[in-house]
Amino acid sequence: MSKKIILDKESAEFTKKIIELSGEIVTLCEQCGTCSGGCPMCDKAETSPSLMMRMAALGQKEILGSDIIWYCASCYTCTVRCPRGIDISKVAEALRQIILRDSVNRIDLSKLTPAELEKLPQIALVAALRKMTG
Ligand code: SF4
Ligand code: SF4
């Protein structure tokens, strides 16, 4: 009989965010390890895809500091092999998105001078504003 795991509010919110962004129900992962077994990046990264999935399901924010989310090459080997039909590369993508959305803004528009604002290409301003959507 499987044991029910109850997450604290913060962890549950984090898992919910990953599910929303990836569209994948990370809690379906049964930790079979198949994704890690076939991952071409596994020997390069310190964290395996299956550990990434476990931490995502448990809402452990430490996963944001893992290298696998950046090493993942979206090759879909894990995705086609996962017995639970989870697209693991989408989970890695969601975790990258969380980091990119939460990162410190490199351009603080309120601190730019009118001369700088005039010089900046419009696309740079749009990109800067998009990074504040986290
Ligand atoms: S292959 Fe699927 S079910 Fe197995 S550990 Fe990876 S994500 Fe979980
Ligand atoms: S999609 Fe990413 S995690 Fe999955 S096997 Fe390929 S590199 Fe590894």
Side-chain angles (χ1 to χ4, degrees), residues 79-119:
T79 302
V80 296
R81 292 181 180 176
C82 175
R84 305 308 297 267
I86 303 170
D87 188 336
I88 295 125
S89 66
K90 277 193 185 163
V91 177
E93 170 66 20
L95 292 165
R96 290 195 296 270
Q97 275 184 42
I98 291 171
I99 292 175
L100 293 172
R101 287 183 180 189
D102 283 352
S103 65
V104 177
N105 294 316
R106 292 182 194 275
I107 303 173
D108 185 345
L109 295 183
S110 64
K111 290 194 178 139
L112 294 177
T113 64
E116 285 170 327
L117 275 172
E118 207 166 298
K119 228 168 54 184

Side-chain angles (χ1 to χ4, degrees), residues 50-85:
S50 52
L51 180 56
M52 175 187 80
M53 293 302 297
R54 185 65 175 156
M55 292 176 81
L58 293 176
Q60 294 178 344
K61 287 191 173 177
E62 294 83 355
I63 192 58
L64 294 175
S66 75
D67 50 5
I68 187 64
I69 64 177
W70 301 104
Y71 275 106
C72 173
S74 301
C75 70
Y76 303 113
T77 307
C78 54
T79 302
V80 296
R81 292 181 180 176
C82 175
R84 305 308 297 267

